[in-house]
Amino acid sequence: MITSSSSLAYLMNTHQPATAEDAAEGPLDWTGGLWVAGTLYDVDVTATTATTLALTDGPAIRFSPAGTYCGGKESGCEHVRNSAVAALAAHWTPADYEAWGDAEECEDDCRKATCGVIRDHRLVTVWDGDSFSETTPYDTVEAAKVAYAQGIEELTKMAAELDRHTHTNDD
């Protein structure tokens, strides 16, 4: 199931093309959708380019060619973890990602982290330490950026009211 840009990148990085023709294809060849494990994922044809694949429900990945640093874990690229060699290899990585708070602790279950906000292209996930976690897809990247900023503001305000520490990008 594709639920994030990281899961889409993982799928594309582990997929072995069946033929030479398949290997020559790129995102503009996939605008009819991606068929994965019995599910058809619609492709956002207006946001998809020769090097970027965007799905209509929010996730988007871009191709990072060999010799180009993808941004590593800070850019949401879970594929590379902490390896500079892998970060310079040709692979798919989240196209547009930013995280605030305990994002590194939020790998499998955001409820284990204190609080945080992740913007994964058009998806915004907000969570707190009281078992709240919500992911919302937005129609545009701009709307997702506004929601991301609002999520940070709300969590910071809530933490101040409850006298809890919130993590900043400086922590």
Side-chain angles (χ1 to χ4, degrees):
M1 185 165 164
I2 300 171
T3 59
S4 67
S5 296
S6 291
S7 61
L8 178 58
Y10 178 81
L11 172 72
M12 298 306 287
N13 288 326
T14 57
H15 170 72
Q16 298 298 319
T19 66
E21 291 83 17
D22 289 345
E25 288 184 353
L28 294 175
D29 298 308
W30 307 324
T31 56
L34 294 180
W35 186 263
V36 179
T39 301
L40 180 64
Y41 293 91
D42 293 325
V43 173
D44 181 345
V45 295
T46 59
T48 296
T49 68
T51 58
T52 301
L53 172 64
L55 300 183
T56 57
D57 61 354
I61 57 174
R62 66 176 170 77
F63 188 72
S64 180
T68 303
Y69 180 62
C70 68
K73 196 167 184 178
E74 306 83 49
S75 68
C77 190
E78 293 295 320
H79 174 70
V80 301
R81 293 289 169 177
N82 293 318
S83 168
V85 173
L88 289 170
H91 66 284
W92 291 96
T93 185
D96 190 8
Y97 177 94
E98 54 187 328
W100 174 88
D102 287 343
E104 288 186 18
E105 294 178 32
C106 186
E107 297 204 1
D108 296 318
D109 186 355
C110 291
R111 293 171 294 177
K112 294 177 183 176
T114 305
C115 67
V117 184
I118 294 173
R119 186 184 60 78
D120 178 4
H121 191 60
R122 292 188 300 106
L123 300 172
V124 177
T125 302
V126 179
W127 74 94
D128 67 18
D130 293 325
S131 298
F132 172 80
S133 178
E134 178 179 80
T135 300
T136 306
Y138 289 88
D139 292 335
T140 65
V141 171
E142 293 76 21
K145 287 181 178 184
V146 169
Y148 174 78
Q150 288 173 338
I152 293 170
E153 183 179 329
E154 289 172 12
L155 287 176
T156 302
K157 182 179 176 184
M158 181 180 69
E161 289 172 356
L162 297 173
D163 196 28
R164 289 185 183 170
H165 173 70
T166 59
H167 292 270
T168 67
N169 288 341
D170 297 327
D171 282 349

